[in-house]
Amino acid sequence: MKGLYIAVGVLLAVVILVGWNAVYVHHVTDELLNSLDALPEEPDPNTTPDQIARLRKQLDSHMTLLGLSVSYNVLDRAEEALYTLEAHARTGDVDQYATSLMVLRDLMRDFARLERIDGENILRLMPLDGARAVFYEHSHVNSSRCASKKS
């Protein structure tokens, strides 16, 4: 019976930590997106690079905890996108700046999307030869049936 209580306690601790992590990543993502939205649509080479440097420091301050759950590939791409955005802001290249800003916004949204607790992310964790394969097979069969009924 003691083992059951320990197992339930560990499970509860894991669920709480996963929930806290999802809330934390969502909060950080919102904070970073708000900072991105505060950036001008057209760069001013005199002020915009400083704003981007502050945004980079803001991201760096969360990097340790984000690195525990968000893929380092995603974090590295975000850092690279920030440096690219800053470079385009310094040169005043409006088109490249706008493109870099859009890419960076998408990456920030990926932070939250990848850490969201939903069926898609849970299925992504399962091996393909298990329940996920059954799920995909079932979905494919149902979509095939729907397509044949429409014909």
Side-chain angles (χ1 to χ4, degrees):
M1 195 65 166
K2 194 181 216 182
L4 176 65
Y5 291 138
I6 291 172
V8 169
V10 169
L11 178 62
L12 187 60
V14 167
V15 168
I16 289 170
L17 284 173
V18 168
W20 174 84
N21 180 61
V23 169
Y24 173 77
V25 171
H26 182 74
H27 171 72
V28 169
T29 302
D30 282 348
E31 186 181 304
L32 292 170
L33 281 170
N34 288 337
S35 295
L36 277 174
D37 290 341
L39 291 175
E41 291 299 317
E42 292 189 15
D44 176 1
N46 298 322
T47 59
T48 307
D50 293 334
Q51 292 173 309
I52 296 169
R54 283 193 299 274
L55 178 63
R56 196 173 56 246
K57 286 179 186 175
Q58 187 179 4
L59 176 61
D60 286 344
S61 71
H62 296 289
M63 197 63 83
T64 303
L65 287 176
L66 285 175
L68 295 175
S69 60
V70 177
S71 165
Y72 281 112
N73 291 334
V74 175
L75 291 174
D76 289 345
R77 287 191 347 241
E79 279 188 313
E80 182 180 317
L82 268 171
Y83 283 113
T84 303
L85 182 68
E86 186 175 5
H88 293 307
R90 286 189 190 287
T91 62
D93 187 340
V94 176
D95 292 335
Q96 291 297 322
Y97 173 84
T99 301
S100 296
L101 189 57
M102 182 183 66
V103 166
L104 192 54
R105 283 184 178 133
D106 287 344
L107 284 169
M108 294 299 154
R109 287 186 192 104
D110 276 349
F111 284 6
R113 182 185 58 79
L114 292 171
E115 293 305 311
R116 189 174 52 226
I117 301 172
D118 64 3
E120 179 184 344
N121 284 343
I122 292 170
L123 285 174
R124 195 174 290 140
L125 295 173
M126 291 183 189
L128 189 56
D129 59 336
R132 190 166 127 192
V134 172
F135 174 79
Y136 284 129
E137 182 179 311
H138 180 69
S139 297
H140 178 68
V141 169
N142 283 340
S143 63
S144 297
R145 286 182 189 156
C146 291
S148 64
K149 286 181 183 178
K150 289 180 183 178
S151 301

